[in-house]
Amino acid sequence: MSKTDDDVILHVDDLKKHFKVDEGWIASLLQSVTGDDPDYVHAVDGVSFDLKRGETLGLAGESGCGKTTTGMSLVKLHEPTDGDIHYNNKRLSEASDEEIKEFRQNAQMIFQDPFESLNPRMTVYDIVAEPLRVHDIRNETARVQRALEFAELMPAEHYFDQYPHELSGGQRQRVAIARALVLDPDFIVADEPVSMLDVSLRAGVLSLLDRMTEEFGLSVVYISHDLSLLRHMCDRLAIMYMGKIVEKGPTDQIIENPQHPYTQALINAVPVPDPDVGRERVELQGEVGDVIDVPTGCRFKDRCPKYIGDVCDQVVPPLEAKSDTGADQDIACHLFESAEGYDPYAELDGGRAENATAANDGSESAPADD
Amino acid sequence: MSLLEVEDLEVYYETEQGPAQAVDGVSFELEEGENLGIVGESGCGKTTLAKSIIGILPDAGYINAGSINFKGDDLTEMNGAQRRRLKWEEISMIAQSAMNSLDPVYTIREQIVEAIETHRPGTGRVESNEIVTEMFELVGLDPERADDYPHQFSGGMRQRAMIAMSLALDPSLVLADEPTTALDVIMQDQILKRISQIQDEINSSMLVITHDVSVVAETCDRVIVMYAGQIAEEGPVEDIFNNPYHPYSIGLKRAFPNIRMENQDLLSIAGYPPELIDPPEGCRFAERCPMATDRCREEVPSEHEMGDLRTYCHYAEDIDQELRPYADDPETWENTVAAKNAGAQAGDD
């Protein structure tokens, strides 16, 4: 599927990233002897979405749901295992070296921990200027200065010769932002940009990130487990669970009217800074499932309070618009009727038919009881 | 008599530049069965306060003055052996990182039983095992998993095991230092739920130390807002959230995004907390406060009783009439000295 929508800067199409477990040579040797298939962690397992120009999209979910791997794949810090990313309607897998270089200039990332993402042996000036040198861009000093000033590190010259250890956490994250902006990128992936910062400083960095989208028309993908923060920052939200998006749509709609049982549990679990507000708690049972040997059907089925039987067990729910919920809100759950007439039960019946054939061959088939 | 009475406590850290006044003149009381929260930014002294109470200050830290009265005895005057006896038995702690607080080479059961038998020699194995089972059920863990090692538990389960251990000897006071900070949303929610449930079921008092005001809102009866080693404001949790008098409490609350609110204008408190080696004269928050006057920069604010709240701000009485809406507006906070300093520097070039 290729989109030709000019508004869409990034079109992610069924992106998958699997990591091999036991990559060491002993493991490989053993595998070659025993003939076992290697195991893979299905970190990202079929994620699709569009990022529009000037839009802020939030990726949310628990640790290990694949949100950071998705983010890193978006800026090509990971090569996808399968699927593709289209940047300005161009498939990255087919792009020339020249085009990849242009993409790298336009895709930047801000990491969670400003204590680790900045090289301690480089001055602030060199840290911010490094991307310019890599991409051979002139007018270095003026650009570095402008980037630092935008990040509210003023006067910029004052910071040029400082090293990261001389700066506070908030200032470091501002240096990381200046570094991401110095190349005038089209979009930025910000992975938990303020979770390491103190509360009183968070709002300052957040308002800076806000200005970044307003003044430069940047598109931003925010990755965070903090839904209160994402509600504040994002136009749209995508909720991930075990490598897949389970629900996506406009932020206010998702937060106020979540439909997927997992989204509902996640939103209800967020503590509210107001003693007068009592929360309704949906306690999820169990833990996030196995991402190596992924379960069949819906990945949330074992913890789902609304499990409805065989269809959840066997058919992977597609992320799609549903006929009975709000516009623009896509949900991957069998509880809702597909807006486009997709019938998961047809697949289930097909599965039963096969089972029946198998039963004829002598094995037991699962009783069809609903 | 309150369970815990902290009076004019001063805890300093020895540094090369002189003593850093991490906790500077803090007084409060904690009643039996009460749950008290302490909130503030990193470096405000909240963890140092907790460590002085349980008696695990690092080598560089010392209690300079003041007293910590626990059930009438002054903890600051006890020797090591006396304090060790109180630990777990009377005062226990739920640490932030359960991963680092559990011993990896012993099973959870062995660790809890060890604590029980050390403090209560003569307790039989059968009895100890009963306590383990009871505690595991209380925190929502399957007692059959008590013989697992810490690495076999997930982060949330380890934190529950920590809570089980801290409650095993039925202490009068439980200190919880950032009990949910290292956890995911869903785990955090389950732990918070357990904590509230435990608070209802047992009559231990709890001191919850956190930077997250929403954790305090959900688990505490009363809250102390700390800033730069001192108490800024203290009172019932509803009053602190609904009608705070100290500008720092107002700012801190408005700096937190609330998932239930649409289009919030978050407030940013420009600047950083002051150096505690040579703290400023007057109010320590003055540089970052939008309402600060010369008086604030010169004179240390005294205690003002505002209903059930105790507020350390010269202008606490004026907040109600005119200053509250002003303090509640994020734009106001762009006028602090700290914010202007950033702006003035910008104008220089």
Side-chain angles (χ1 to χ4, degrees):
Chain A
M1 180 173 82
S2 86
K3 286 226 171 179
T4 46
D5 193 342
D6 273 351
D7 269 357
V8 176
I9 180 164
L10 217 55
H11 168 63
V12 180
D13 183 16
D14 203 21
L15 182 77
K16 290 183 181 165
K17 178 67 196 174
H18 300 169
F19 294 101
K20 201 167 161 187
V21 185
D22 287 339
E23 267 195 298
W25 65 271
I26 296 179
S28 319
L29 195 69
L30 279 176
Q31 273 159 11
S32 69
V33 174
T34 58
D36 287 348
D37 284 333
D39 286 334
Y40 288 94
V41 170
H42 298 68
V44 178
D45 209 16
V47 159
S48 306
F49 61 86
D50 288 341
L51 179 66
K52 298 194 184 90
R53 232 169 269 283
E55 178 185 58
T56 49
L57 172 73
L59 282 184
E62 289 170 272
S63 324
C65 72
K67 55 192 193 297
T68 294
T69 308
T70 304
M72 289 175 82
S73 304
L74 292 183
V75 295
K76 273 186 98 62
L77 285 172
H78 284 314
E79 271 313 304
T81 307
D82 198 12
D84 213 340
I85 295 169
H86 304 235
Y87 168 65
N88 285 337
N89 301 321
K90 181 87 196 162
R91 277 170 183 275
L92 285 184
S93 60
E94 293 166 358
S96 63
D97 288 354
E98 204 51 40
E99 283 165 330
I100 291 287
K101 199 172 174 210
E102 191 203 320
F103 171 78
R104 288 206 185 274
Q105 221 181 93
N106 280 301
Q108 294 295 323
M109 185 148 182
I110 297 167
F111 295 92
Q112 176 170 10
D113 189 349
F115 294 84
E116 290 189 4
S117 64
L118 305 177
N119 187 337
R121 289 159 186 264
M122 285 166 79
T123 61
V124 167
Y125 181 89
D126 285 333
I127 288 169
V128 180
E130 193 184 26
L132 296 170
R133 292 173 191 156
V134 170
H135 289 280
D136 220 0
I137 293 167
R138 283 150 207 249
N139 215 354
E140 195 178 279
T141 318
R143 275 176 164 256
V144 171
Q145 179 159 0
R146 204 174 47 136
L148 287 175
E149 275 167 8
F150 179 82
E152 289 161 9
L153 291 169
M154 292 181 280
E157 293 85 353
H158 173 72
Y159 292 93
F160 279 2
D161 295 326
Q162 292 200 318
Y163 286 90
H165 75 265
E166 296 174 87
L167 306 175
S168 68
Q171 287 171 326
R172 279 184 227 215
Q173 200 58 308
R174 288 170 191 271
V175 171
I177 292 170
R179 177 187 160 99
L181 286 175
V182 75
L183 288 168
D184 282 330
D186 281 350
F187 76 94
I188 285 187
V189 174
D191 188 0
E192 301 275 11
V194 297
S195 68
M196 302 288 287
L197 304 180
D198 240 317
V199 191
S200 66
L201 303 175
R202 281 186 193 176
V205 172
L206 290 177
S207 76
L208 178 64
L209 291 167
D210 242 354
R211 261 180 54 213
M212 187 171 88
T213 44
E214 274 163 28
E215 288 177 28
F216 292 83
L218 270 174
S219 310
V220 183
V221 177
Y222 282 103
I223 297 166
S224 181
H225 67 279
D226 185 347
L227 283 160
S228 321
L229 179 101
L230 291 178
R231 165 150 217 199
H232 178 68
M233 298 297 289
C234 300
D235 304 326
R236 282 197 309 140
L237 274 186
I239 310 290
M240 286 186 75
Y241 186 75
M242 281 178 76
K244 281 184 173 302
I245 294 177
V246 295
E247 183 160 7
K248 71 175 175 144
T251 303
D252 287 339
Q253 212 168 309
I254 298 271
I255 301 273
E256 268 160 29
N257 199 11
Q259 297 296 324
H260 194 285
Y262 178 67
T263 317
Q264 291 175 345
L266 195 66
I267 287 170
N268 268 313
V270 178
V272 181
D274 185 345
D276 299 334
V277 174
R279 281 191 291 132
E280 225 181 281
R281 282 189 155 110
V282 191
E283 190 165 334
L284 281 186
Q285 297 303 320
E287 310 257 333
V288 178
D290 187 350
V291 284
I292 295 175
D293 191 12
V294 283
T296 55
C298 175
R299 293 179 183 195
F300 187 57
K301 65 185 178 194
D302 291 338
R303 300 173 83 187
C304 185
K306 295 186 182 153
Y307 174 76
I308 49 167
D310 286 358
V311 69
C312 301
D313 251 341
Q314 292 168 30
V315 186
V316 177
L319 181 66
E320 56 178 359
K322 301 292 184 182
S323 59
D324 37 5
T325 57
D328 218 17
Q329 191 166 350
D330 291 352
I331 302 148
C333 180
H334 294 310
L335 288 173
F336 307 94
E337 202 162 304
S338 167
E340 282 164 28
Y342 165 76
D343 180 14
Y345 292 95
E347 280 182 43
L348 194 62
D349 290 335
R352 272 189 204 140
E354 275 168 37
N355 275 346
T357 337
N360 289 340
D361 291 335
S363 60
E364 280 270 60
S365 73
D369 58 0
D370 57 343
Chain B
M1 183 180 66
S2 306
L3 178 73
L4 182 76
E5 286 175 25
V6 174
E7 254 184 74
D8 282 321
L9 187 70
E10 291 180 7
V11 186
Y12 291 3
Y13 286 106
E14 206 58 72
T15 73
E16 281 171 22
Q17 291 90 38
Q21 307 170 14
V23 173
D24 195 17
V26 166
S27 306
F28 67 90
E29 288 176 15
L30 177 63
E31 303 295 332
E32 222 158 286
E34 190 183 36
N35 303 305
L36 175 68
I38 300 183
V39 285
E41 295 170 71
S42 334
C44 74
K46 56 189 192 298
T47 297
T48 302
L49 187 61
K51 285 182 173 171
S52 338
I53 294 170
I54 198 167
I56 49 169
L57 277 177
D59 289 344
Y62 59 95
I63 291 171
N64 187 57
S67 61
I68 305 170
N69 285 305
F70 177 77
K71 291 189 168 173
D73 297 321
D74 189 352
L75 297 182
T76 61
E77 287 178 356
M78 286 188 187
N79 61 30
Q82 286 170 312
R83 296 211 68 160
R84 267 194 299 281
R85 223 167 294 138
L86 285 182
K87 233 178 266 174
W88 294 113
E89 178 93 55
E90 285 286 354
I91 306 176
S92 70
M93 185 153 180
I94 305 168
Q96 176 168 5
S97 163
M99 185 65 168
N100 300 333
S101 318
L102 293 168
D103 193 325
V105 300
Y106 293 101
T107 64
I108 307 284
R109 183 191 303 281
E110 284 165 342
Q111 298 185 43
I112 299 180
V113 168
E114 190 198 354
I116 297 171
E117 290 177 355
T118 311
H119 284 276
R120 293 187 189 156
T123 311
R125 190 46 62 99
V126 177
E127 200 184 325
S128 303
N129 281 338
E130 270 170 18
I131 298 180
V132 172
T133 305
E134 194 188 324
M135 288 305 124
F136 261 53
E137 278 166 358
L138 183 65
V139 298
L141 284 173
D142 179 0
E144 282 180 20
R145 298 213 44 193
D147 293 308
D148 283 2
Y149 288 90
H151 76 268
Q152 290 169 292
F153 276 20
S154 71
M157 290 166 76
R158 271 190 291 243
Q159 195 65 331
R160 288 180 197 209
M162 263 311 287
I163 297 176
M165 199 162 155
S166 71
L167 298 174
L169 289 165
D170 197 13
S172 319
L173 173 62
V174 180
L175 301 180
D177 186 8
E178 303 276 9
T180 60
T181 305
L183 302 175
D184 245 316
V185 209
I186 291 197
M187 265 309 146
Q188 163 170 306
D189 182 45
Q190 295 183 6
I191 299 286
L192 290 180
K193 186 178 161 193
R194 284 294 161 203
I195 291 179
S196 316
Q197 215 174 323
I198 289 163
Q199 287 169 341
D200 292 343
E201 284 175 24
I202 62 177
N203 57 355
S204 299
S205 305
M206 201 177 263
L207 196 62
V208 181
I209 291 142
T210 178
H211 71 281
D212 190 339
V213 297
S214 48
V215 169
V216 165
E218 298 207 344
T219 55
C220 295
D221 313 317
R222 219 151 47 87
V223 57
I224 291 177
V225 180
M226 274 189 82
Y227 185 76
Q230 298 176 332
I231 293 180
E233 191 157 34
E234 190 245 293
V237 74
E238 288 81 16
D239 294 353
I240 292 268
F241 276 89
N242 297 333
N243 276 316
Y245 288 89
H246 199 290
Y248 182 62
S249 313
I250 300 175
L252 197 62
K253 184 188 135 203
R254 290 282 277 104
F256 250 91
N258 181 341
I259 191 162
R260 302 292 168 90
M261 278 163 74
E262 220 174 317
N263 300 324
Q264 311 162 70
D265 212 354
L266 287 188
L267 175 156
S268 165
I269 306 175
Y272 301 94
E275 285 290 334
L276 294 173
I277 292 171
D278 182 21
E281 276 173 52
C283 174
R284 295 195 175 173
F285 187 58
E287 201 195 337
R288 301 174 78 189
C289 179
M291 278 154 257
T293 62
D294 286 341
R295 182 179 171 205
C296 299
R297 283 177 275 275
E298 286 155 14
E299 201 182 313
V300 178
S302 55
E303 181 184 316
H304 292 250
E305 266 189 42
M306 308 302 300
D308 291 332
L309 292 177
R310 132 171 111 100
T311 304
Y312 290 85
C313 173
H314 291 306
Y315 298 102
E317 265 111 32
D318 303 331
I319 283 275
D320 247 352
Q321 281 96 50
E322 44 191 319
L323 293 177
R324 198 191 301 276
Y326 177 68
D328 218 21
D329 181 0
E331 259 182 48
T332 304
W333 292 75
E334 288 163 18
N335 297 323
T336 61
V337 172
K340 277 182 191 150
N341 278 348
Q345 279 174 356
D348 286 346
D349 52 19

